[in-house]
Amino acid sequence: MMEAVKEKVQLQRYSGYKDSEAEYLGRIPSHWEEAHLGSIVQPKSDKGHPNYKVLSVYRDYGVIPKDSRDDNHNATSLDTSNYKAVTPGDLVVNKMKAWQGSMGISKYKGIVSPAYITCEVRSKKLNGNYLHYLLRSQSYIGEYNRISYGVRIGQWDMHYEDLKKVVVLIPSPTEQTAIAHFLDRKTEQIDQAIEIKKKQIELLKERRQILIHKAVTRGLNPDVPLKPSGVDWIGDIPEHWSLTKLRQCLEPVSVKNKPGLQLLSITREEGVIIRDVDDLESNHNFIPDDLSGYKVIREGQFGMNKMKAWQGSYGVSKFDGLVSPAYYVLDLITDINPDFFHLAIRSSLYVSFFGAASDGVRIGQWDLNKSRMKEIPFVVPTESEQKKIVDSISQENEKTFKTIADLNDQIKKLEEYKTTLINSAVTGKIKVV
């Protein structure tokens, strides 16, 4: 797939090059012009349009309608009269995340956060599509990183006074159009290849969940006699298995902070993990300076983010550490194999149970009802079967995770190729006309 995407790119070079005024751009085609961004754009702050569509700025997409995606968790103000108006062709910059590439030329009319920088592009020399690719390219993101300020990553700020000094490359109008069309075609091909691989990963994950669901409710022997479980969502189970409730499996404990323990987090994807306190891009929860109220969780105990139990954010811990005081920590009080319990309870079947046991006004703010949680049924195989199920699923997981890792590696290479291709085209390192 990678070779198919690459094969049509003609890696030609221009006949002559010169040093750019900006060191971060290196050598550029000798006939290209340069200008400071401030000379081609004019800051604007047009407010008072609360009825306009709310737009958002994404690192991966630029300026898009906020309601076009469901992964933007920043709340829109109830009063949007202070939001800034944007018209097609305007430059919009999330100045707090410019170092990630969160900016772009808008194709939409709407309003954006008053914290964003909005500018009208005044110069007639620039093709908006080309400028969009240029300002979001790798070389420029490196410069935004340099001119952004702050105590910690994730809270960096960038001022327009610094942004306006950024050097803009200006090829001929014909070249700009050709570069933009070329990148439209190539990025679409790359994005399609990436999407195929992402779908393959989702299918593998679905297959894995189906196998786990079947194993923890029916076992590994397809010919075993069955009996009704008495629970519609579970259906029939092997007739020699038993059915219990979580109140008979788990007992709440609450031990407060002890010195020297590492900070842990509880995620939907993996359960209890060691928290990377420096990875602010994927970890948005605030960490207070005073952790005295945090709860101790020990290896083998069950931890749960009760606000996200409906997503599956829970699991048996493999570590000793600290978790948020808002989380549940529980002891396993039966002879159930902890690995089996972790595997079963995180299956799609039980995630559905936890969803039904959660309450709230809106998704994302649901809270687990402890009383209803205690009544969730749990299927218990024999001790020997629990171990066999864990071993069997572990073997399947090893193969599945390897395939997923290979696909993710291919996606990463395609994304890196896309980034390099865009940067090379808009800075003149390759000639596409």
Side-chain angles (χ1 to χ4, degrees):
M1 181 67 72
M2 185 74 159
E3 290 69 22
V5 170
K6 283 185 174 181
E7 64 182 3
K8 296 182 182 178
V9 178
Q10 301 298 318
L11 298 179
Q12 302 178 39
R13 287 176 59 82
Y14 289 90
S15 58
Y17 285 82
K18 64 182 179 182
D19 289 332
S20 167
E21 175 187 335
E23 184 178 344
Y24 54 87
L25 296 175
R27 291 177 63 78
I28 63 173
S30 53
H31 63 288
W32 285 18
E33 297 179 30
E34 296 180 87
H36 291 117
L37 184 63
S39 69
I40 64 174
V41 303
Q42 178 66 43
K44 56 183 286 189
S45 187
D46 179 14
K47 300 180 180 180
H49 303 280
N51 295 324
Y52 283 11
K53 179 186 289 290
V54 177
L55 307 176
S56 191
V57 183
Y58 275 75
R59 174 184 60 186
D60 296 327
Y61 310 106
V63 186
I64 60 173
K66 186 177 180 183
D67 61 8
S68 67
R69 298 189 61 83
D70 59 6
D71 56 355
N72 188 332
H73 305 297
N74 295 324
T76 300
S77 174
L78 295 177
D79 179 10
T80 58
S81 60
N82 197 41
Y83 277 43
K84 295 179 179 179
V86 173
T87 57
D90 284 350
L91 170 65
V92 185
V93 181
N94 180 343
K95 61 193 183 78
M96 297 290 286
K97 294 186 177 179
W99 60 276
Q100 293 180 335
S102 293
M103 63 171 58
I105 303 298
S106 181
K107 294 181 179 179
Y108 305 95
K109 177 181 177 180
I111 50 176
V112 296
S113 165
Y116 290 175
I117 296 172
T118 53
C119 300
E120 178 186 356
V121 179
R122 292 284 184 88
S123 175
K124 303 301 182 184
K125 289 185 174 182
L126 284 156
N127 176 306
N129 202 8
Y130 163 77
L131 184 61
H132 178 80
Y133 280 117
L134 179 73
L135 294 179
R136 290 165 46 79
S137 65
Q138 190 175 34
S139 294
Y140 281 82
I141 290 174
E143 178 63 5
Y144 305 143
N145 196 314
R146 188 186 71 80
I147 63 177
S148 295
Y149 307 91
V151 176
R152 56 191 289 184
I153 296 176
Q155 294 182 348
W156 281 5
D157 196 1
M158 185 177 68
H159 304 298
Y160 177 74
E161 289 303 308
D162 294 310
L163 177 63
K164 73 178 185 179
K165 298 173 186 175
V166 167
V167 173
V168 175
L169 300 180
I170 309 177
S172 69
T174 301
E175 288 175 301
Q176 290 182 48
T177 300
I179 290 170
H181 287 172
F182 167 80
L183 290 176
D184 284 345
R185 292 194 307 273
K186 295 309 298 182
T187 56
E188 183 180 8
Q189 291 175 6
I190 296 169
D191 289 343
Q192 287 175 351
I194 290 173
E195 191 59 31
I196 289 171
K197 295 182 185 303
K198 286 182 176 179
K199 287 181 179 178
Q200 291 173 338
I201 289 173
E202 289 307 309
L203 288 172
L204 285 167
K205 289 180 177 179
E206 288 177 15
R207 177 181 176 274
R208 174 177 174 268
Q209 278 297 327
I210 291 170
L211 288 174
I212 292 173
H213 180 108
K214 185 176 180 181
V216 300
T217 58
R218 295 290 184 93
L220 302 176
N221 180 2
D223 300 320
V224 66
L226 302 175
K227 67 179 179 182
S229 68
V231 180
D232 289 340
W233 288 9
I234 294 176
D236 293 341
I237 61 174
E239 62 180 12
H240 62 291
W241 287 14
S242 61
L243 195 69
T244 187
K245 294 188 176 180
L246 288 189
R247 58 183 162 81
Q248 298 169 310
C249 304
L250 300 169
E251 183 174 274
V253 293
S254 184
V255 178
K256 293 300 172 66
N257 188 354
K258 290 188 177 181
L261 291 176
Q262 61 192 333
L263 197 59
L264 305 177
S265 189
I266 304 179
T267 68
R268 171 179 58 188
E269 292 79 13
E270 299 178 69
V272 184
I273 62 170
I274 298 173
R275 183 166 184 172
D276 185 349
V277 296
D278 295 322
D279 185 7
L280 296 175
E281 186 174 339
S282 61
N283 196 341
H284 305 291
N285 294 325
F286 174 71
I287 302 173
D289 294 329
D290 180 11
L291 298 179
S292 60
Y294 270 51
K295 292 181 179 179
V296 174
I297 185 170
R298 297 295 185 183
E299 180 181 355
Q301 289 184 319
F302 186 70
M304 172 180 289
N305 179 344
K306 63 190 183 73
M307 295 290 287
K308 294 184 177 179
W310 59 276
Q311 293 181 335
S313 293
Y314 50 74
V316 176
S317 180
K318 294 184 180 295
F319 315 98
D320 290 346
L322 300 174
V323 295
S324 166
Y327 291 175
Y328 288 152
V329 177
L330 306 103
D331 274 332
L332 275 171
I333 57 173
T334 66
D335 292 331
I336 296 174
N337 182 315
D339 291 330
F340 174 80
F341 186 81
H342 178 83
L343 181 72
I345 205 73
R346 285 176 49 79
S347 69
S348 57
L349 169 68
Y350 289 99
V351 172
S352 299
F353 277 119
F354 281 110
S358 297
D359 299 303
V361 177
R362 51 187 281 186
I363 294 177
Q365 295 184 345
W366 283 3
D367 198 0
L368 183 65
N369 182 302
K370 188 181 289 186
S371 297
R372 293 212 298 273
M373 169 194 163
K374 291 179 179 179
E375 299 306 310
I376 291 175
F378 188 79
V379 179
V380 185
T382 64
E383 184 177 343
S384 62
E385 285 178 292
Q386 290 178 41
K387 186 177 185 309
K388 288 178 181 178
I389 289 169
V390 169
D391 290 343
S392 175
I393 295 299
S394 295
Q395 291 175 15
E396 286 295 326
N397 282 347
E398 186 176 350
K399 292 185 287 186
T400 300
F401 292 155
K402 182 181 184 306
T403 303
I404 289 175
D406 289 343
L407 287 167
N408 278 323
D409 185 58
Q410 293 170 34
I411 289 171
K412 182 181 178 182
K413 288 178 179 177
L414 283 166
E415 288 173 338
E416 289 172 349
Y417 173 61
K418 176 182 172 182
T419 297
T420 301
L421 184 65
I422 292 171
N423 196 72
S424 298
V426 297
T427 60
K429 303 301 184 290
I430 60 172
K431 181 181 179 181
V432 299
V433 293

